Structures are given as C-alpha cells and as structure tokens.
Amino acid sequence: MHLLPAIDILDGKAVRLAKGDYACVTVYNDDPVAQAQAFEDAGAEWLHVVDLDGARSGRPENVGVIERILARTPLKVEVGGGVRSLATVERLAEAGVSRIVLGTALVSDPAFAEAAIARFGDLLAAGIDARGGEVAVAGWREGAGVAADELARHVAELGFRHLVYTDIARDGMQVGIDPAAYVAMAQAFGHPVVASGGVAGIADIERLAAVAKSIEGVIAGRAVYEGALDVAEAVQACRASSV
C-alpha cells in the first residue's frame, strides 16, 4: 500500500474541490510543481494528479504542468482528468507518467477504453467515481446510470488491473473513509484498489492498512493541505502495512 498525495490542477493552480463541486474551490498553492517537490521532500514516492480543467472540458489542459513536475521530481505520477483519446494517452506516456486513469471514457466511449487497455495495458487504471453507488462522469457533474460495482467487473473483464475508486460524497470533506466500501469494490474488481475520498487523518490510513490486501494505495488531499495528515507519517504507515 502506498500513499498518493493529490494535486488537483485548476487554472494552473493546486486546488481542492468539495464533493467535486467546481463552485467550491480552495486554492492551496499557486505552483503545483513546488507542491509536488514538497511532497517529494516529505518522503512521498507517488503523486496523484487530476487535470480538473480537462475533466470538465474533455480534453487535457494541464499537460505542460505535469511535464514540469516529471522533469523536476523523481515522483511516480498517476494522472487523470480529460483522458478521452489515444492521442492523450500517448502524450502522457511520452511525458513519463507512471499511470493514466481513464474515467468518463469508460462509460461514454467503451470502444476507446477497450482499445487503450489493449495497447497500453498496465500503464492504465480505471477511475470509478461514485455517488450513492452510481458512477458519476464529466467531472462528477453527471450520473451515468451505471452501478459502480458493475462497471468494476466490466473493466476487469477488459483487462484493467488497477482501479482508483472515489467516494464522491466524502471527497474533500475530511469526514473519514469507509474501508468496507473499498473492500467491496476490490472484491467486485478482483484486484486491490486505490482508495480515494474522505481521508481525515492518520487513523484512516491505519484503518485501510487493516484491510491492506484489498488496497493498492490511498489518495490524500485536503487533509494533507490543512495539516490534519502528515505526509511523512502517512508514507511510513503505508509502508508498514506492506511488511
């Protein structure tokens, strides 16, 4: 299990949204690259980056920022947001990202998702964001009418072996995580998942560590930025769960 501090990029800045609401934005750092370097200094090895502009528009808008992060840090970078074409996957792959998350396209363009996993394999992860068990798409603004567990089973059949699962109702709220939800998703998917949404402090990392066989990694955002979760401590807790 590894920690992925999150950098959500909107208008070139590192921000967090509350429950995915673009009207509820908090800016934490005007320079995402400097923020990534701070996470590196704290001992992080992975970084989760979301292109919020891209998630909303359907096309990548912050690839340049991501390329600068990769150029200035040794971090393994997982990227999502606006990845809806093979050209975008290719550009991110060429930039050197370690994982690319497909979200909306899993539902809106299944042919693309199938072609992408066939071509890029382990570089890709399925991104399932759910509210009340229903998949949400287009930057979380729309319900897809698809059950999250059904989509998890489907993407596993396509060949995905990594999945980022976000509980939207908890995301950015620091209300704590629900380990059982991630265990259930891992069972549906057939592989460990990356947990996202609601981490409030080190206790949540420890609760996930207790079910570490179902958890590949955990994404932490607002709790890190507001000082409720120390990155160095969280990194160590994640490493200990894997021993």
Side-chain angles (χ1 to χ4, degrees):
M1 191 169 93
H2 50 261
L3 183 77
L4 298 93
I7 295 181
D8 293 359
I9 305 173
L10 184 67
D11 297 328
K13 301 177 181 179
V15 310
R16 294 297 287 170
L17 308 182
K19 296 184 182 180
D21 188 347
Y22 281 76
C24 298
V25 180
T26 302
V27 177
Y28 285 107
N29 198 321
D30 289 337
D31 184 356
V33 178
Q35 186 61 62
Q37 291 172 322
F39 288 147
E40 176 200 347
D41 291 342
E45 296 180 355
W46 277 86
L47 182 68
H48 179 77
V49 175
V50 178
D51 182 346
L52 288 174
D53 298 289
R56 182 165 53 182
S57 69
R59 58 184 183 277
E61 299 192 22
N62 288 289
V63 177
V65 177
I66 294 165
E67 289 174 337
R68 289 197 297 277
I69 290 173
L70 289 162
R72 299 182 191 179
T73 77
L75 293 168
K76 298 176 183 178
V77 178
E78 176 179 272
V79 177
V83 183
R84 300 176 199 172
S85 72
L86 288 175
T88 297
V89 177
E90 288 173 354
R91 182 174 179 187
L92 290 169
E94 290 172 357
V97 304
S98 294
R99 192 166 297 160
I100 301 166
V101 183
L102 306 189
T104 294
L106 296 173
V107 176
S108 65
D109 192 352
F112 156 65
E114 189 170 352
I117 192 64
R119 179 171 174 182
F120 292 96
D122 204 50
L123 181 65
L124 301 185
I128 297 181
D129 308 328
R131 183 185 287 110
E134 180 187 5
V135 176
V137 295
W140 296 355
R141 292 171 297 152
E142 303 171 12
V146 177
D149 57 352
E150 290 181 7
L151 183 57
R153 284 189 284 269
H154 175 64
V155 297
E157 291 172 357
L158 289 180
F160 284 85
R161 295 295 176 263
H162 303 285
L163 187 154
V164 179
Y165 179 59
T166 302
D167 184 347
I168 296 172
R170 294 172 182 264
D171 189 75
M173 301 307 293
Q174 286 183 259
V175 294
I177 53 88
D178 176 12
Y182 300 107
V183 171
M185 186 56 58
Q187 290 174 342
F189 183 53
H191 306 278
V193 302
V194 175
S196 172
V199 169
I202 194 65
D204 286 318
I205 304 297
E206 293 168 347
R207 290 167 69 197
L208 288 171
V211 293
K213 289 183 178 180
S214 296
I215 310 297
E216 180 180 0
V218 54
I219 295 170
R222 189 179 294 270
V224 168
Y225 289 106
E226 298 192 352
L229 179 68
D230 179 76
V231 170
E233 183 182 11
V235 166
Q236 290 302 318
C238 286
R239 287 176 180 164
S241 74
S242 302
V243 176

